Amino acid sequence: MAMRRALTPLRIIVALAAVVAIVMALWQLQRGKDGLLITTATVGQTPVTVFRQPSATKAPVVVIAHGFAGSQQLMQPFAQTLARNGYIAVTFDFTGHGRNPVTMVGDVDEPTKITGVLVDELGRVTDYARKLPESDGRAAVLGHSMASDIVVAYAVEHPEIVATVAVSVFTRKSTATLPHNLLVIVGALEPQMLKDEGLRIVNQVAGGNAAEGRTYGSFADGTARRFVLSSGVEHIGVLYSQDSMRESLHWMNDAFGRTGSGWIDQRPRWLALLFGGLITLAWPLSKLLPRAAALPMGASLSWKQLLVTAIVPAVLTPLLLWKAPTDFLIILLGDYLTLHFLLYGLLTAAILVLIRLRGSRAAPNPTRPHAQELAALGALPDPAHPRVAIGALVIAAVAAIAYNILGFGFALDTYLFSFMPIEQRVHLIAAVACGTIPYFITAEWMAHGQGAKRGAYALAKFCFLASLAVAVALNLQKLFFLIIIVPAILLLFLAFGLISNWTYKATNHPLPGALANAVLFAWAIAVTFPMVIR
């Protein structure tokens, strides 16, 4: 069980190609900031970032607000696009989100509590932005998803706001005259209700005949309205769409009577190259992990056993948690997800134990000690080398966790969402891990072993996502925002499932990959979901 250090020529070539891809992607992503002066500040306790050209003076400001479970980083494409075209773009972390240390109090659906707090916070940031020395005093606001309602509500209360852009909008705050110069953007792959809402808002001016892609009203008197679809994107992709960037820029230019260079942020391709490179690099690096077991470890389930182990927890977990209290953590939905992971893992473990006990009773071998019998069945590491196996497991697990958190963490925190935790969130990672660790250990164990069935891992993850869908259907009002999160969980399953599979093939043990994924998911949930005291 020695450390596997030798890389084949193919793996060396793949590693070099992955490194080249990562470096090229980082270079191109940083080029998007060329010519911009980017500064940070705090308004009260709200973290704020200002994007502008050094030569920009007496320019309008555009305050950009993220949606539920988002942070400033998600809105960088809009900020850099507008700043590169002469505007002063300002992003910030809402209360309870990102690196904002203030915890929200109340219910997200309660307009007199959290919504009112967020509108006030937007107002303070906008006041700060308008008073910047480089500002000409004029302002526009742009918001996504949850923040679309916030920016519309604020612009209705403040008619001096020249223009508003509402992305993935749902609001009841707009009227036939306010907010001034309202652009509505919805992803073409988003739910129909958001498209209907966009048309409804524009029809307040169009008189019931609104069509996508047409501008109604007049910028001169502030009644301009337009509804557009960003092609080929959904609720998150709409933030990176060329259509979204172009429409927003043209809308601001028309509202403020300005022109710019026409530069549009094009980061999706470079983000794909960056994360593709990081995922690909894990394949050759996995060759360096120590082998922790002589034979592939795992449950080694038959198809019948696999189906039972995968389906039963998927059905029982949402039913058992349907009426369970889930307000024990201050991260909204994080408490429910923690319980869902935990119960799902415990149910899976119970089924695996029952299968193992039934199998050991059915085919005992009196010539071998019980520990060796279990080792042969894949329930324990090889007892012939217990210390080497344990040491190898520790080294492999630490390496896998470090790659997931550090290797991906920098890129995620810099270009996608707030990933590095503030002090108030550190303990939450440990709390959520109490649920993710049992789930990922049992999920990896059931999918592997000698003779493991092809597709077992995919089946396990599909059943888990299906169980979340059932949970949302049973309690739509409380778990509605999980609809937004499930696609992100799917992407994480796909990307880090590949890495854990390579880790397993290198170590012959599911534990390192399971722990790495468990820590990653606990980390991501704890640092992204909003902090709320209910």
Side-chain angles (χ1 to χ4, degrees), residues 45-60:
Q45 296 189 69
T46 304
V48 171
T49 304
V50 179
F51 300 75
R52 66 178 180 87
Q53 294 176 330
S55 60
T57 56
K58 301 307 176 184

mmCIF file of all heavy atoms in Angstrom, residues 45-60:
data_model
loop_
_atom_site.group_PDB
_atom_site.id
_atom_site.type_symbol
_atom_site.label_atom_id
_atom_site.label_comp_id
_atom_site.label_asym_id
_atom_site.label_seq_id
_atom_site.Cartn_x
_atom_site.Cartn_y
_atom_site.Cartn_z
ATOM 1 N N GLN A 45 -22.599 48.182 8.167
ATOM 2 C CA GLN A 45 -21.894 46.900 8.149
ATOM 3 C C GLN A 45 -22.053 46.186 6.813
ATOM 4 O O GLN A 45 -21.691 45.006 6.696
ATOM 5 C CB GLN A 45 -22.398 46.010 9.293
ATOM 6 C CG GLN A 45 -22.109 46.578 10.675
ATOM 7 C CD GLN A 45 -22.424 45.582 11.767
ATOM 8 O OE1 GLN A 45 -21.765 44.565 11.925
ATOM 9 N NE2 GLN A 45 -23.457 45.884 12.544
ATOM 10 N N THR A 46 -22.589 46.864 5.820
ATOM 11 C CA THR A 46 -22.819 46.264 4.510
ATOM 12 C C THR A 46 -21.567 46.357 3.644
ATOM 13 O O THR A 46 -21.105 47.456 3.339
ATOM 14 C CB THR A 46 -23.987 46.970 3.790
ATOM 15 O OG1 THR A 46 -25.161 46.919 4.611
ATOM 16 C CG2 THR A 46 -24.263 46.318 2.450
ATOM 17 N N PRO A 47 -20.999 45.229 3.223
ATOM 18 C CA PRO A 47 -19.819 45.269 2.339
ATOM 19 C C PRO A 47 -20.213 45.776 0.946
ATOM 20 O O PRO A 47 -21.190 45.307 0.356
ATOM 21 C CB PRO A 47 -19.353 43.813 2.279
ATOM 22 C CG PRO A 47 -20.071 43.119 3.401
ATOM 23 C CD PRO A 47 -21.354 43.864 3.600
ATOM 24 N N VAL A 48 -19.454 46.713 0.430
ATOM 25 C CA VAL A 48 -19.748 47.366 -0.847
ATOM 26 C C VAL A 48 -18.502 47.334 -1.729
ATOM 27 O O VAL A 48 -17.383 47.486 -1.235
ATOM 28 C CB VAL A 48 -20.201 48.826 -0.626
ATOM 29 C CG1 VAL A 48 -20.308 49.585 -1.942
ATOM 30 C CG2 VAL A 48 -21.534 48.860 0.111
ATOM 31 N N THR A 49 -18.697 47.130 -3.028
ATOM 32 C CA THR A 49 -17.608 47.197 -3.990
ATOM 33 C C THR A 49 -17.987 48.171 -5.096
ATOM 34 O O THR A 49 -19.105 48.119 -5.616
ATOM 35 C CB THR A 49 -17.308 45.816 -4.610
ATOM 36 O OG1 THR A 49 -17.023 44.883 -3.562
ATOM 37 C CG2 THR A 49 -16.105 45.890 -5.558
ATOM 38 N N VAL A 50 -17.065 49.065 -5.435
ATOM 39 C CA VAL A 50 -17.304 50.084 -6.467
ATOM 40 C C VAL A 50 -16.412 49.784 -7.669
ATOM 41 O O VAL A 50 -15.195 49.619 -7.526
ATOM 42 C CB VAL A 50 -17.014 51.502 -5.933
ATOM 43 C CG1 VAL A 50 -17.236 52.540 -7.031
ATOM 44 C CG2 VAL A 50 -17.888 51.795 -4.710
ATOM 45 N N PHE A 51 -17.035 49.681 -8.850
ATOM 46 C CA PHE A 51 -16.320 49.458 -10.109
ATOM 47 C C PHE A 51 -16.440 50.738 -10.953
ATOM 48 O O PHE A 51 -17.558 51.214 -11.194
ATOM 49 C CB PHE A 51 -16.941 48.305 -10.899
ATOM 50 C CG PHE A 51 -16.950 46.975 -10.195
ATOM 51 C CD1 PHE A 51 -17.848 46.711 -9.153
ATOM 52 C CD2 PHE A 51 -16.087 45.962 -10.584
ATOM 53 C CE1 PHE A 51 -17.872 45.482 -8.525
ATOM 54 C CE2 PHE A 51 -16.103 44.725 -9.950
ATOM 55 C CZ PHE A 51 -16.999 44.494 -8.916
ATOM 56 N N ARG A 52 -15.306 51.264 -11.416
ATOM 57 C CA ARG A 52 -15.366 52.414 -12.303
ATOM 58 C C ARG A 52 -14.062 52.548 -13.075
ATOM 59 O O ARG A 52 -13.032 51.973 -12.696
ATOM 60 C CB ARG A 52 -15.618 53.705 -11.527
ATOM 61 C CG ARG A 52 -14.487 54.128 -10.593
ATOM 62 C CD ARG A 52 -14.805 55.437 -9.892
ATOM 63 N NE ARG A 52 -13.726 55.857 -9.005
ATOM 64 C CZ ARG A 52 -12.674 56.578 -9.382
ATOM 65 N NH1 ARG A 52 -12.565 56.985 -10.664
ATOM 66 N NH2 ARG A 52 -11.748 56.934 -8.519
ATOM 67 N N GLN A 53 -14.117 53.272 -14.160
ATOM 68 C CA GLN A 53 -12.901 53.630 -14.868
ATOM 69 C C GLN A 53 -12.214 54.773 -14.119
ATOM 70 O O GLN A 53 -12.896 55.675 -13.611
ATOM 71 C CB GLN A 53 -13.221 54.047 -16.300
ATOM 72 C CG GLN A 53 -13.761 52.918 -17.166
ATOM 73 C CD GLN A 53 -14.159 53.392 -18.551
ATOM 74 O OE1 GLN A 53 -14.561 54.540 -18.725
ATOM 75 N NE2 GLN A 53 -14.068 52.508 -19.529
ATOM 76 N N PRO A 54 -10.887 54.774 -14.036
ATOM 77 C CA PRO A 54 -10.195 55.861 -13.322
ATOM 78 C C PRO A 54 -10.530 57.235 -13.870
ATOM 79 O O PRO A 54 -10.528 58.220 -13.117
ATOM 80 C CB PRO A 54 -8.708 55.523 -13.536
ATOM 81 C CG PRO A 54 -8.680 54.056 -13.786
ATOM 82 C CD PRO A 54 -9.954 53.740 -14.520
ATOM 83 N N SER A 55 -10.852 57.293 -15.157
ATOM 84 C CA SER A 55 -11.151 58.586 -15.778
ATOM 85 C C SER A 55 -12.610 58.991 -15.634
ATOM 86 O O SER A 55 -12.983 60.106 -16.019
ATOM 87 C CB SER A 55 -10.789 58.543 -17.262
ATOM 88 O OG SER A 55 -11.533 57.527 -17.920
ATOM 89 N N ALA A 56 -13.436 58.094 -15.081
ATOM 90 C CA ALA A 56 -14.870 58.394 -14.978
ATOM 91 C C ALA A 56 -15.115 59.499 -13.955
ATOM 92 O O ALA A 56 -14.769 59.370 -12.776
ATOM 93 C CB ALA A 56 -15.637 57.145 -14.583
ATOM 94 N N THR A 57 -15.686 60.589 -14.419
ATOM 95 C CA THR A 57 -16.077 61.682 -13.522
ATOM 96 C C THR A 57 -17.462 62.157 -13.905
ATOM 97 O O THR A 57 -17.825 62.153 -15.082
ATOM 98 C CB THR A 57 -15.095 62.864 -13.628
ATOM 99 O OG1 THR A 57 -15.024 63.301 -14.994
ATOM 100 C CG2 THR A 57 -13.707 62.450 -13.160
ATOM 101 N N LYS A 58 -18.219 62.529 -12.902
ATOM 102 C CA LYS A 58 -19.586 62.992 -13.114
ATOM 103 C C LYS A 58 -20.368 62.002 -13.977
ATOM 104 O O LYS A 58 -20.978 62.346 -14.985
ATOM 105 C CB LYS A 58 -19.592 64.380 -13.752
ATOM 106 C CG LYS A 58 -18.868 65.424 -12.908
ATOM 107 C CD LYS A 58 -19.420 65.437 -11.474
ATOM 108 C CE LYS A 58 -18.647 66.396 -10.572
ATOM 109 N NZ LYS A 58 -19.116 66.337 -9.155
ATOM 110 N N ALA A 59 -20.355 60.743 -13.518
ATOM 111 C CA ALA A 59 -21.049 59.675 -14.233
ATOM 112 C C ALA A 59 -22.212 59.164 -13.380
ATOM 113 O O ALA A 59 -22.177 59.247 -12.150
ATOM 114 C CB ALA A 59 -20.088 58.537 -14.537
ATOM 115 N N PRO A 60 -23.242 58.606 -14.012
ATOM 116 C CA PRO A 60 -24.347 58.014 -13.249
ATOM 117 C C PRO A 60 -23.873 56.763 -12.505
ATOM 118 O O PRO A 60 -22.936 56.082 -12.947
ATOM 119 C CB PRO A 60 -25.373 57.657 -14.327
ATOM 120 C CG PRO A 60 -24.958 58.386 -15.549
ATOM 121 C CD PRO A 60 -23.484 58.548 -15.460
#
